[in-house]
Amino acid sequence: MAKVKISDVAREAGVSLGTVSNALNHPEKLRPETLKLINETINRLGYLPNQSARQLAGGATKSFGLVLPRLDHGFSLQIASGAHNEARKHGYDLLIANADNDDILEDHYLRYFMGTQMSGVMVQPMASPDWHPALTKMPVPIVHLDIHCSEPGYYVAADNEAQGRIIAELAIARGAHHIVVVGRAAFMQLTLRVLGIHKALALHPDIKIEVIDAGEWNTAADGYGIGTQIAARPADERPDFVVGLTDVLASGVISALVDKGIAVPGQVRVAGCDGNPLAWSGSVPLTTVAPPGYEIGRKGVQLLMEQIENKAPAKTKHIRVGSTARTVTAVTAAEDINRQELVRPFLLERASTQASSQTDATAINLGAYL
Amino acid sequence: MAKVKISDVAREAGVSLGTVSNALNHPEKLRPETLKLINETINRLGYLPNQSARQLAGGATKSFGLVLPRLDHGFSLQIASGAHNEARKHGYDLLIANADNDDILEDHYLRYFMGTQMSGVMVQPMASPDWHPALTKMPVPIVHLDIHCSEPGYYVAADNEAQGRIIAELAIARGAHHIVVVGRAAFMQLTLRVLGIHKALALHPDIKIEVIDAGEWNTAADGYGIGTQIAARPADERPDFVVGLTDVLASGVISALVDKGIAVPGQVRVAGCDGNPLAWSGSVPLTTVAPPGYEIGRKGVQLLMEQIENKAPAKTKHIRVGSTARTVTAVTAAEDINRQELVRPFLLERASTQASSQTDATAINLGAYL
DNA sequence: GCTTGTACTTGAAACGCATCAAAGGGGCCG
DNA sequence: CGGCCCCTTTGATGCGTTTCAAGTACAAGC
């Protein structure tokens, strides 16, 4: 049961070590008969190249690492999916690690990947990537996903503030008079969404706005609680438009309202803010703003490729990917899964060597989304 | 920007190579001052151990590989989640690869993992694992998940036939007279579910049963189509109980029925068959049979550990994990996520050196589930 | 028959680290 | 002061590859 190594194959095939190696890596250099003989021997012996040795001897392998905060969040999955397809397109493997909402683990896997001679690494960080500047200085290309900060480095993110604006304008278009925003803005992304909502509503002082904290984890149960509370209000204090900062929050709110006999969207409209078609299997349609996770993953790999191919790439590059508002049902969600290759959202790119400040002032044409 | 290696650290810290290595792997062997000095130097230089070299020199690392057919299927995520937690508990890392429904890729990643000196590898295979007996013979522990075949090897699977029985008994308990099963039994798992349903209904000849193919991919859209068709039937030809072989199918059926003005569950009851709380964010509750993905992942890692720790383990071990029927809503689903550590479903284990035939005849006490 | 060139093949030298037998440095006892 | 033992540190060795300069064999051209 001892592992078969390259020297075993060489001896068995009656050729030298280097020839077997060539058969694996530069088959065009070998005479067809030799190649055939070696391949047969490899199969007969069940030889499997030791990746560690290959990497050690040959430098980086064609594979990327992706560290995600959780796997059960549809948005992360869309990122993984986009990154996967783009990586395969360039002939790279993609390995995924689950940090399980634990920043120690996140750091651990990040170091692991960087130490494995991965060609590049991507993270969807839980906190700001100021978090460990040491890693950014490593000689391994790294791209931060779904986050947008002023540190030098490579980032691909959705424009969360724009998402807030989109939702707000949606509410305005629907003639809302009283909006309730549900959720705890614990993460930067959510904070920006709230900011966007406020900015958009600044022009409409007649619309009343209220923000309700939903508990630490923004779960559906939290949403259900808030929904119940809203339902209990006298009709004239009840909002006509509820925004869940997260789709599951919105979903919980809907459940509660419906349970209490309040018509959705008849009496109260509810919108979400995650746009998570992969996870949305609800029978009731939900209008939501969809940050393009798939596209973020794709762009992330492209940035990695760019760093690999250019010897002296820009030190900093920020990409913002636009979002779209849409109504998803289980049916459209399923279609999306098959259609996602076609998605080509509006992109806004900027590259510079030290222009972190520039990238913060961005005007996105919202008209196209509504 | 050249990579810092262990010898750089050693020189800089004024100690020898082996000492730095010890600081990394056997810190207890070092004098505290030395350890501190080395750690400081490591941080100052930004040294990151080369995993390839470590693995090459030191043999297998403490990490497992998991190959999944898709990431956007909640069931696979539950597996990943269970495997992750169990692996971490034993101090192992878990790396995940997405085979993207492509058996070439599945094979590719499997070989990749085996070649990387992983301590063990798990697959949720797309086809039968007869598929590549060569890999099973490799000197790397391997466990097949969610599949149950007669080949020697290690398997952990849900009892899909029992799932069918559970659903059928649920229908009987609800007084169903006419059951429609929706879905294409393209995979072994689905076939077994249908078989279980038929077996359970064999005792009730008065109940009419009908199986409707839903198209190749069993999508929500397919379910919607079938739902529409069911709704269009005259009331007396309409079933009073619909089983979706998949949760998304059931979801599509519900959408269609509701759209056409048929009350669910008033006029027609609908049940699913995936039990996918992680993905279920619908506002309408769905009753479903939940194959314990989390538990399968957990058991998979345990089998891996067993193979690693025992020098001469059983050559074959099949584990079947029971399922539970339950009603999930977005709210309970979210709770499940936090509660999954506690799930301890009914287990049925068998171990033997050549008893592949035994394992096929299994009686599970269904009473406990209903 | 000798030279030059072409097409393959060879094997030794890294790659960066873990390991382990051996050496070093005290402290303690006789 | 010598001998012992224990705790800590050393550095040569090998892990399984890739790479590449050097080698071989053979054919064509003179």
mmCIF file of all heavy atoms in Angstrom, chain C residues 20-24, chain D residues 7-11:
data_model
loop_
_atom_site.group_PDB
_atom_site.id
_atom_site.type_symbol
_atom_site.label_atom_id
_atom_site.label_comp_id
_atom_site.label_asym_id
_atom_site.label_seq_id
_atom_site.Cartn_x
_atom_site.Cartn_y
_atom_site.Cartn_z
ATOM 1 P P DC C 20 11.665 11.473 13.917
ATOM 2 O OP1 DC C 20 11.056 10.213 13.465
ATOM 3 O OP2 DC C 20 11.093 12.232 15.055
ATOM 4 O "O5'" DC C 20 13.202 11.220 14.232
ATOM 5 C "C5'" DC C 20 14.122 11.038 13.152
ATOM 6 C "C4'" DC C 20 15.533 11.235 13.676
ATOM 7 O "O4'" DC C 20 15.899 12.631 13.553
ATOM 8 C "C3'" DC C 20 15.697 10.894 15.164
ATOM 9 O "O3'" DC C 20 16.968 10.315 15.355
ATOM 10 C "C2'" DC C 20 15.621 12.252 15.839
ATOM 11 C "C1'" DC C 20 16.359 13.103 14.813
ATOM 12 N N1 DC C 20 16.072 14.555 14.902
ATOM 13 C C2 DC C 20 16.948 15.448 14.282
ATOM 14 O O2 DC C 20 17.923 15.024 13.680
ATOM 15 N N3 DC C 20 16.682 16.772 14.367
ATOM 16 C C4 DC C 20 15.601 17.204 15.038
ATOM 17 N N4 DC C 20 15.384 18.525 15.085
ATOM 18 C C5 DC C 20 14.709 16.309 15.669
ATOM 19 C C6 DC C 20 14.976 15.001 15.576
ATOM 20 P P DA C 21 17.069 8.993 16.280
ATOM 21 O OP1 DA C 21 16.411 7.890 15.565
ATOM 22 O OP2 DA C 21 16.658 9.350 17.658
ATOM 23 O "O5'" DA C 21 18.638 8.745 16.252
ATOM 24 C "C5'" DA C 21 19.312 8.744 15.002
ATOM 25 C "C4'" DA C 21 20.530 9.649 15.068
ATOM 26 O "O4'" DA C 21 20.086 11.030 15.192
ATOM 27 C "C3'" DA C 21 21.445 9.385 16.270
ATOM 28 O "O3'" DA C 21 22.793 9.484 15.837
ATOM 29 C "C2'" DA C 21 21.083 10.501 17.249
ATOM 30 C "C1'" DA C 21 20.746 11.641 16.293
ATOM 31 N N9 DA C 21 19.828 12.634 16.834
ATOM 32 C C8 DA C 21 18.707 12.421 17.595
ATOM 33 N N7 DA C 21 18.068 13.524 17.923
ATOM 34 C C5 DA C 21 18.814 14.533 17.347
ATOM 35 C C6 DA C 21 18.675 15.940 17.323
ATOM 36 N N6 DA C 21 17.669 16.589 17.915
ATOM 37 N N1 DA C 21 19.603 16.650 16.650
ATOM 38 C C2 DA C 21 20.604 15.993 16.042
ATOM 39 N N3 DA C 21 20.842 14.690 15.993
ATOM 40 C C4 DA C 21 19.910 14.000 16.673
ATOM 41 P P DA C 22 23.984 9.099 16.833
ATOM 42 O OP1 DA C 22 24.989 8.363 16.023
ATOM 43 O OP2 DA C 22 23.449 8.506 18.085
ATOM 44 O "O5'" DA C 22 24.585 10.527 17.162
ATOM 45 C "C5'" DA C 22 24.939 11.390 16.082
ATOM 46 C "C4'" DA C 22 25.222 12.761 16.637
ATOM 47 O "O4'" DA C 22 23.985 13.391 17.039
ATOM 48 C "C3'" DA C 22 26.129 12.746 17.868
ATOM 49 O "O3'" DA C 22 27.214 13.623 17.646
ATOM 50 C "C2'" DA C 22 25.220 13.237 18.995
ATOM 51 C "C1'" DA C 22 24.239 14.107 18.222
ATOM 52 N N9 DA C 22 22.962 14.333 18.904
ATOM 53 C C8 DA C 22 22.151 13.403 19.501
ATOM 54 N N7 DA C 22 21.068 13.914 20.046
ATOM 55 C C5 DA C 22 21.175 15.271 19.780
ATOM 56 C C6 DA C 22 20.345 16.368 20.092
ATOM 57 N N6 DA C 22 19.196 16.247 20.766
ATOM 58 N N1 DA C 22 20.743 17.587 19.676
ATOM 59 C C2 DA C 22 21.893 17.696 19.017
ATOM 60 N N3 DA C 22 22.761 16.744 18.654
ATOM 61 C C4 DA C 22 22.345 15.552 19.080
ATOM 62 P P DA C 23 28.430 13.769 18.708
ATOM 63 O OP1 DA C 23 29.680 13.499 17.972
ATOM 64 O OP2 DA C 23 28.091 13.012 19.933
ATOM 65 O "O5'" DA C 23 28.393 15.321 19.051
ATOM 66 C "C5'" DA C 23 28.159 16.263 17.993
ATOM 67 C "C4'" DA C 23 27.745 17.575 18.622
ATOM 68 O "O4'" DA C 23 26.404 17.449 19.147
ATOM 69 C "C3'" DA C 23 28.636 18.001 19.797
ATOM 70 O "O3'" DA C 23 28.905 19.382 19.673
ATOM 71 C "C2'" DA C 23 27.776 17.689 21.012
ATOM 72 C "C1'" DA C 23 26.378 17.963 20.462
ATOM 73 N N9 DA C 23 25.290 17.313 21.175
ATOM 74 C C8 DA C 23 25.172 15.989 21.506
ATOM 75 N N7 DA C 23 24.064 15.681 22.144
ATOM 76 C C5 DA C 23 23.414 16.900 22.252
ATOM 77 C C6 DA C 23 22.177 17.263 22.834
ATOM 78 N N6 DA C 23 21.358 16.393 23.429
ATOM 79 N N1 DA C 23 21.819 18.548 22.765
ATOM 80 C C2 DA C 23 22.637 19.422 22.160
ATOM 81 N N3 DA C 23 23.811 19.204 21.579
ATOM 82 C C4 DA C 23 24.153 17.912 21.661
ATOM 83 P P DG C 24 30.067 20.071 20.560
ATOM 84 O OP1 DG C 24 30.888 20.862 19.642
ATOM 85 O OP2 DG C 24 30.682 19.028 21.426
ATOM 86 O "O5'" DG C 24 29.256 21.070 21.493
ATOM 87 C "C5'" DG C 24 28.386 22.024 20.914
ATOM 88 C "C4'" DG C 24 27.470 22.563 21.995
ATOM 89 O "O4'" DG C 24 26.558 21.515 22.396
ATOM 90 C "C3'" DG C 24 28.213 23.015 23.264
ATOM 91 O "O3'" DG C 24 27.910 24.378 23.490
ATOM 92 C "C2'" DG C 24 27.658 22.122 24.370
ATOM 93 C "C1'" DG C 24 26.331 21.654 23.780
ATOM 94 N N9 DG C 24 25.858 20.369 24.257
ATOM 95 C C8 DG C 24 26.489 19.155 24.115
ATOM 96 N N7 DG C 24 25.805 18.153 24.642
ATOM 97 C C5 DG C 24 24.663 18.757 25.160
ATOM 98 C C6 DG C 24 23.572 18.179 25.842
ATOM 99 O O6 DG C 24 23.382 17.001 26.127
ATOM 100 N N1 DG C 24 22.633 19.140 26.194
ATOM 101 C C2 DG C 24 22.739 20.490 25.916
ATOM 102 N N2 DG C 24 21.741 21.259 26.326
ATOM 103 N N3 DG C 24 23.749 21.037 25.271
ATOM 104 C C4 DG C 24 24.692 20.118 24.925
ATOM 105 P P DC D 7 14.524 17.272 31.968
ATOM 106 O OP1 DC D 7 13.456 17.485 32.962
ATOM 107 O OP2 DC D 7 14.414 16.229 30.925
ATOM 108 O "O5'" DC D 7 14.802 18.663 31.242
ATOM 109 C "C5'" DC D 7 15.410 19.720 31.975
ATOM 110 C "C4'" DC D 7 16.030 20.692 30.980
ATOM 111 O "O4'" DC D 7 17.239 20.102 30.444
ATOM 112 C "C3'" DC D 7 15.142 20.994 29.769
ATOM 113 O "O3'" DC D 7 15.051 22.403 29.613
ATOM 114 C "C2'" DC D 7 15.853 20.328 28.601
ATOM 115 C "C1'" DC D 7 17.301 20.369 29.065
ATOM 116 N N1 DC D 7 18.188 19.340 28.443
ATOM 117 C C2 DC D 7 19.402 19.759 27.914
ATOM 118 O O2 DC D 7 19.706 20.959 27.960
ATOM 119 N N3 DC D 7 20.217 18.819 27.352
ATOM 120 C C4 DC D 7 19.844 17.541 27.324
ATOM 121 N N4 DC D 7 20.687 16.659 26.765
ATOM 122 C C5 DC D 7 18.606 17.100 27.865
ATOM 123 C C6 DC D 7 17.810 18.032 28.415
ATOM 124 P P DT D 8 14.086 23.010 28.466
ATOM 125 O OP1 DT D 8 13.577 24.285 28.963
ATOM 126 O OP2 DT D 8 13.178 21.941 28.004
ATOM 127 O "O5'" DT D 8 15.116 23.330 27.304
ATOM 128 C "C5'" DT D 8 16.155 24.271 27.540
ATOM 129 C "C4'" DT D 8 17.112 24.272 26.378
ATOM 130 O "O4'" DT D 8 17.683 22.959 26.202
ATOM 131 C "C3'" DT D 8 16.495 24.630 25.029
ATOM 132 O "O3'" DT D 8 17.034 25.889 24.641
ATOM 133 C "C2'" DT D 8 16.907 23.505 24.088
ATOM 134 C "C1'" DT D 8 18.038 22.832 24.854
ATOM 135 N N1 DT D 8 18.225 21.392 24.587
ATOM 136 C C2 DT D 8 19.382 20.978 23.963
ATOM 137 O O2 DT D 8 20.260 21.743 23.596
ATOM 138 N N3 DT D 8 19.477 19.618 23.774
ATOM 139 C C4 DT D 8 18.547 18.658 24.144
ATOM 140 O O4 DT D 8 18.745 17.471 23.930
ATOM 141 C C5 DT D 8 17.364 19.153 24.792
ATOM 142 C C7 DT D 8 16.291 18.224 25.232
ATOM 143 C C6 DT D 8 17.250 20.487 24.986
ATOM 144 P P DT D 9 16.603 26.579 23.270
ATOM 145 O OP1 DT D 9 16.861 28.023 23.406
ATOM 146 O OP2 DT D 9 15.284 26.077 22.865
ATOM 147 O "O5'" DT D 9 17.693 25.988 22.281
ATOM 148 C "C5'" DT D 9 19.068 26.324 22.467
ATOM 149 C "C4'" DT D 9 19.910 25.560 21.468
ATOM 150 O "O4'" DT D 9 19.681 24.144 21.628
ATOM 151 C "C3'" DT D 9 19.621 25.876 19.997
ATOM 152 O "O3'" DT D 9 20.798 26.437 19.444
ATOM 153 C "C2'" DT D 9 19.243 24.537 19.382
ATOM 154 C "C1'" DT D 9 19.848 23.540 20.367
ATOM 155 N N1 DT D 9 19.192 22.210 20.450
ATOM 156 C C2 DT D 9 19.901 21.093 20.064
ATOM 157 O O2 DT D 9 21.033 21.133 19.626
ATOM 158 N N3 DT D 9 19.214 19.906 20.207
ATOM 159 C C4 DT D 9 17.928 19.732 20.701
ATOM 160 O O4 DT D 9 17.429 18.621 20.789
ATOM 161 C C5 DT D 9 17.251 20.945 21.083
ATOM 162 C C7 DT D 9 15.852 20.892 21.621
ATOM 163 C C6 DT D 9 17.895 22.124 20.943
ATOM 164 P P DT D 10 20.809 26.822 17.907
ATOM 165 O OP1 DT D 10 21.770 27.941 17.754
ATOM 166 O OP2 DT D 10 19.428 26.935 17.418
ATOM 167 O "O5'" DT D 10 21.462 25.538 17.273
ATOM 168 C "C5'" DT D 10 22.828 25.240 17.564
ATOM 169 C "C4'" DT D 10 23.218 23.968 16.852
ATOM 170 O "O4'" DT D 10 22.304 22.920 17.229
ATOM 171 C "C3'" DT D 10 23.171 24.046 15.325
ATOM 172 O "O3'" DT D 10 24.483 23.849 14.836
ATOM 173 C "C2'" DT D 10 22.216 22.924 14.902
ATOM 174 C "C1'" DT D 10 22.166 22.048 16.139
ATOM 175 N N1 DT D 10 20.887 21.309 16.373
ATOM 176 C C2 DT D 10 20.889 19.955 16.261
ATOM 177 O O2 DT D 10 21.869 19.298 15.955
ATOM 178 N N3 DT D 10 19.665 19.370 16.525
ATOM 179 C C4 DT D 10 18.482 20.006 16.887
ATOM 180 O O4 DT D 10 17.463 19.374 17.105
ATOM 181 C C5 DT D 10 18.570 21.429 16.983
ATOM 182 C C7 DT D 10 17.357 22.214 17.363
ATOM 183 C C6 DT D 10 19.754 22.027 16.717
ATOM 184 P P DG D 11 24.915 24.608 13.515
ATOM 185 O OP1 DG D 11 26.353 24.894 13.649
ATOM 186 O OP2 DG D 11 23.963 25.683 13.185
ATOM 187 O "O5'" DG D 11 24.735 23.421 12.460
ATOM 188 C "C5'" DG D 11 25.404 22.195 12.681
ATOM 189 C "C4'" DG D 11 24.845 21.126 11.767
ATOM 190 O "O4'" DG D 11 23.580 20.656 12.291
ATOM 191 C "C3'" DG D 11 24.526 21.604 10.344
ATOM 192 O "O3'" DG D 11 24.747 20.505 9.471
ATOM 193 C "C2'" DG D 11 23.046 21.883 10.396
ATOM 194 C "C1'" DG D 11 22.609 20.718 11.266
ATOM 195 N N9 DG D 11 21.309 20.873 11.880
ATOM 196 C C8 DG D 11 20.608 22.034 12.093
ATOM 197 N N7 DG D 11 19.460 21.836 12.681
ATOM 198 C C5 DG D 11 19.403 20.466 12.867
ATOM 199 C C6 DG D 11 18.396 19.658 13.452
ATOM 200 O O6 DG D 11 17.344 20.017 13.955
ATOM 201 N N1 DG D 11 18.743 18.305 13.444
ATOM 202 C C2 DG D 11 19.920 17.799 12.928
ATOM 203 N N2 DG D 11 20.083 16.480 13.003
ATOM 204 N N3 DG D 11 20.856 18.549 12.379
ATOM 205 C C4 DG D 11 20.536 19.864 12.381
#
